Amino acid sequence: MPALHADESGNTVEPIAQFDLKQELAESEQKKPWPSGIHSKTLFKKSDLRCVLIAMESAAIMKEHHADGTISVQVLKGRLRFGAQGNQYELAAGNLLSLGASIKHDLHALEDSAFLLTISWPSNEELLAMKHRGYGT
């Protein structure tokens, strides 16, 4: 697929975009070594949606953080431990986990792994209305 174009705010201009995730992952492997053992690439960005391909080397950790929108994590390869609200979820290739907006979470790669992160991005008005810019229950 030809390169996508972005407007001045970084949003993808094209109304339709197609990605070869295997090819994207192969290209990310060529960029090793990755800082902190993690590589991410935003594939698609609109005002209301983000799709990010993330690869993690075994034992890499994403410390506790949150997203202001609802997310889904679709594991493409490997195994991850996903922690949220005092629970631990082990996710393997083919698993999908969704998480409500602003919930703190962390990730630990149990082996070399990759996943597609999709974020339903809130509007600017919704972002400004958030009490703490995140950390819901």
Side-chain angles (χ1 to χ4, degrees), residues 53-79:
L53 184 62
I54 300 174
M56 298 176 71
E57 294 176 337
S58 183
I61 296 172
M62 282 189 187
K63 294 180 181 179
E64 188 174 80
H65 61 283
H66 77 281
D68 289 326
T70 300
I71 69 169
S72 71
V73 172
Q74 180 181 2
V75 182
L76 304 172
K77 79 172 199 174
R79 288 184 315 120

Side-chain angles (χ1 to χ4, degrees), residues 17-77:
Q18 180 180 357
F19 303 92
D20 181 335
L21 297 179
K22 286 184 181 181
Q23 180 180 337
E24 294 287 349
L25 286 172
E27 289 174 13
S28 72
E29 287 288 323
Q30 295 174 0
K31 295 180 177 165
K32 283 185 173 178
W34 304 325
S36 305
I38 300 170
H39 179 269
S40 66
K41 179 180 181 182
T42 299
L43 299 176
F44 189 80
K45 177 184 172 192
K46 289 282 191 179
S47 61
D48 61 346
L49 181 72
R50 312 282 164 92
C51 293
V52 183
L53 184 62
I54 300 174
M56 298 176 71
E57 294 176 337
S58 183
I61 296 172
M62 282 189 187
K63 294 180 181 179
E64 188 174 80
H65 61 283
H66 77 281
D68 289 326
T70 300
I71 69 169
S72 71
V73 172
Q74 180 181 2
V75 182
L76 304 172
K77 79 172 199 174

